[in-house]
């Protein structure tokens, strides 16, 4: 499929990312999968290569290019290399946390955090989910009560991407527990603050190289100077930035589906059964025809959404439609590809095995498929 979305500068950037993947990711990825996180050095290498903070103004050490297409290229190439864990970790840093720092940060905060954000010396995370609270952000129980020139933060967060490596965590907390959604604020918690501890590094079915952890906050005194935006406005900020997060997940989903399709097509052209190539059976041809069609349709919709994000017109409802459709496609495609591989599809020596495991969580994080449909259904007036 010829994509008109990208221009020559984006293609040059893609070539640089591919070289980075070949040199710094592929030789180590199996080890990262077994260890449950990537080498911290990878973040610094990514910073040196100009892959972090592309949207951050040059005066803070960034690329000075707010064009989301660069972000899309980065996570696409990780996903196409079978490294969806990196798409998630780096995507969260660039696509999710960066907008909060850029849009809500004071000048002092930007000068304090953004240079390290762009160099890879400062890894970021966002802490929303709690052991008893998933998609319902209004129900968070973590509290941050003002005490003089600080907020006293207490609570536990789980499923936090970049949780172990993170140096700066945007924490969703109730500064006014009695005010519901109007009592939610965002606090930037820094590594080393007394009372801020890492819990378990979580073992997962897939995305095993993704650094995922529990975070525990016990009477952490967070300076009031670390409040992002205005007190009590956190829920609105979260709703405003969720479309970009969901778009980022969709970019990974479509790229991963394309990669799975490619690996499986190659396998089925070479592998024989009953005296003929697996791909030549009518059932196989039909499956490939279905996957090729669905992936191309998803790509067109995704590229339109990227244009809309750049133009500032991507709505939460359209992002919800995109997120649930592409992630369900990713799950469906990788499952079909495992089936076409037969028993070998279940073996880790083939990349489709990892892709199949990695796909499953994408219909859950960033808002479950069911929550996406609820958003869409309400917009339809039901």
């Amino acid at each position: 499929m010829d994509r008109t979305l990208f221009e020559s500068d984006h293609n040059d950037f893609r070539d640089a990312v591919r070289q980075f993947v070949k040199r710094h990711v592929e030789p180590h990825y199996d080890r990262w999968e077994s260890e449950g996180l990537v080498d911290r050095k990878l973040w610094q290498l990514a910073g040196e290569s100009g892959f972090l903070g592309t949207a951050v103004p040059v005066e803070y050490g960034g690329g000075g290019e707010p064009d989301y297409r660069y972000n899309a290229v980065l996570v696409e190439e990780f996903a196409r290399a079978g490294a969806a864990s990196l798409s998630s970790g780096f995507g969260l840093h660039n696509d999710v946390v960066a907008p909060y720092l850029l849009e809500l940060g004071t000048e002092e905060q930007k000068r304090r955090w953004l240079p390290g954000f762009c160099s890879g010396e400062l890894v970021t995370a966002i802490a929303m989910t709690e052991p008893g609270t998933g998609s319902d952000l209004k129900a968070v129980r973590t509290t941050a009560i003002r005490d003089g020139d600080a907020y006293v933060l207490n609570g536990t967060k789980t499923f936090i991407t970049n949780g172990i490596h993170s140096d700066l965590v945007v924490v969703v907390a109730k500064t006014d527990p009695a005010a519901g959604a109007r009592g939610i604020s965002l606090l930037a918690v820094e590594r080393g603050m007394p009372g801020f501890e890492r819990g378990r590094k979580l073992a997962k079915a897939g995305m095993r190289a993704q650094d995922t952890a529990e975070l525990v906050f016990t009477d952490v005194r967070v300076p009031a100077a670390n409040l992002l935006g205005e007190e009590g406005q956190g829920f609105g900020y979260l709703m405003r930035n969720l479309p970009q997060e969901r778009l980022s997940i969709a970019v990974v989903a479509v790229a991963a589906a394309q990669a799975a399709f490619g690996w499986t097509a190659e396998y089925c052209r070479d592998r024989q059964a009953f005296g003929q190539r697996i791909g030549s059976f009518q059932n196989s041809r039909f499956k490939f025809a279905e996957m090729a069609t669905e992936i191309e349709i998803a790509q067109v919709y995704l590229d339109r959404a990227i244009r809309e994000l750049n133009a500032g017109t991507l709505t939460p409802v359209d992002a919800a439609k995109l997120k649930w459709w592409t992630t369900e496609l990713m799950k469906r495609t990788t499952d079909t590809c495992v089936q076409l591989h037969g028993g070998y599809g279940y073996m880790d020596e083939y990349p489709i095995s990892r892709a199949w495991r990695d796909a499953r969580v994408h219909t859950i994080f960033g808002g479950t498929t069911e929550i996406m449909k609820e958003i869409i259904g309400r917009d339809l007036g039901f």
Side-chain angles (χ1 to χ4, degrees):
M1 177 182 174
D2 182 21
R3 297 174 71 186
T4 60
L5 176 68
F6 298 108
E7 301 170 7
S8 59
D9 287 347
H10 305 109
N11 295 330
D12 291 342
F13 187 74
R14 188 182 299 278
D15 289 340
V17 176
R18 286 179 176 172
Q19 288 300 313
F20 181 87
V21 169
K22 184 175 181 179
R23 182 178 179 183
H24 298 299
V25 175
E26 290 178 356
H28 309 291
Y29 199 76
D30 286 342
R31 174 171 60 83
W32 296 337
E33 281 272 298
S34 64
E35 293 176 354
L37 77 169
V38 305
D39 293 340
R40 179 58 185 259
K41 183 181 178 182
L42 186 71
W43 285 90
Q44 295 172 352
L45 291 170
E48 292 170 5
S49 301
F51 299 154
L52 303 179
T54 53
V56 173
V58 174
E59 58 263 36
Y60 304 117
E65 182 50 78
D67 183 349
Y68 178 79
R69 288 176 290 182
Y70 290 100
N71 297 34
V73 165
L74 182 67
V75 295
E76 275 186 354
E77 290 306 314
F78 284 143
R80 284 177 180 161
S85 293
L86 299 189
S87 292
S88 180
F90 283 86
L92 181 131
H93 187 78
N94 280 333
D95 300 344
V96 180
V97 177
Y100 291 106
L101 300 182
L102 290 172
E103 296 168 15
L104 304 178
T106 64
E107 182 63 25
E108 186 277 330
Q109 289 172 338
K110 290 177 182 178
R111 295 199 178 279
R112 183 156 40 121
W113 296 323
L114 287 177
F117 180 100
C118 298
S119 70
E121 295 174 5
L122 189 151
V123 177
T124 63
I126 186 165
M128 300 186 198
T129 304
E130 299 179 358
T133 304
S135 297
D136 184 8
L137 294 175
K138 296 178 184 177
V140 296
R141 301 180 65 181
T142 297
T143 60
I145 306 303
R146 186 67 181 258
D147 180 30
D149 61 354
Y151 291 91
V152 179
L153 180 67
N154 283 282
T156 301
K157 300 290 185 176
T158 193
F159 307 148
I160 308 305
T161 299
N162 298 341
I164 297 296
H165 279 325
S166 58
D167 305 288
L168 184 73
V169 182
V170 177
V171 178
V172 179
K174 290 275 184 70
T175 46
D176 184 353
R182 292 186 298 275
I184 293 176
S185 301
L186 305 181
L187 291 174
V189 180
E190 299 172 82
R191 178 184 290 275
M193 287 184 171
F196 172 27
E197 298 178 339
R198 322 280 161 157
R200 294 180 300 145
K201 181 178 70 176
L202 301 174
K204 307 182 297 298
M207 305 287 281
R208 293 175 180 173
Q210 181 201 81
D211 165 9
T212 310
E214 294 177 331
L215 303 180
V216 181
F217 308 98
T218 306
D219 292 331
V220 181
R221 292 190 65 84
V222 182
N226 281 27
L227 177 70
L228 282 173
E230 296 181 24
E231 184 176 306
Q233 299 300 309
F235 187 77
Y237 299 144
L238 293 167
M239 294 303 101
R240 188 171 73 197
N241 285 322
L242 278 173
Q244 180 162 319
E245 177 182 359
R246 289 166 179 163
L247 173 63
S248 180
I249 294 170
V251 171
V252 174
V254 175
Q258 288 173 332
F261 178 92
W263 300 327
T264 307
E266 182 179 358
Y267 177 84
C268 289
R269 289 188 183 102
D270 295 336
R271 181 78 174 173
Q272 294 208 356
F274 301 102
Q276 65 185 92
R277 292 177 302 145
I278 291 174
S280 67
F281 289 104
Q282 185 183 62
N283 177 71
S284 300
R285 291 199 302 271
F286 283 9
K287 292 298 183 184
F288 280 116
E290 292 168 2
M291 289 189 291
T293 303
E294 290 184 335
I295 292 170
E296 186 161 338
I297 290 170
Q299 187 72 76
V300 171
Y301 189 28
L302 172 63
D303 287 356
R304 189 185 81 177
I306 292 174
R307 289 189 176 95
E308 290 176 349
L309 183 79
N310 271 348
T313 60
L314 181 64
T315 69
V317 172
D318 284 343
K321 291 176 181 177
L322 179 71
K323 197 271 179 184
W324 89 257
W325 177 257
T326 57
T327 56
E328 292 290 345
L329 170 66
M330 177 191 191
K331 186 173 70 172
R332 186 167 63 249
T333 300
T334 54
D335 192 70
T336 298
C337 289
V338 167
Q339 191 73 18
L340 287 167
H341 274 77
Y344 288 106
Y346 207 63
M347 300 295 108
D348 279 351
E349 63 191 275
Y350 285 83
I352 191 60
S353 173
R354 178 187 297 155
W356 176 63
R357 294 195 311 268
D358 289 350
R360 188 60 186 86
V361 74
H362 287 74
T363 62
I364 298 172
F365 63 18
T368 65
T369 291
E370 292 74 21
I371 292 295
M372 297 302 97
K373 292 179 180 179
E374 182 70 12
I375 292 169
I376 299 161
R378 288 182 180 180
D379 182 69
L380 295 171
F382 296 107

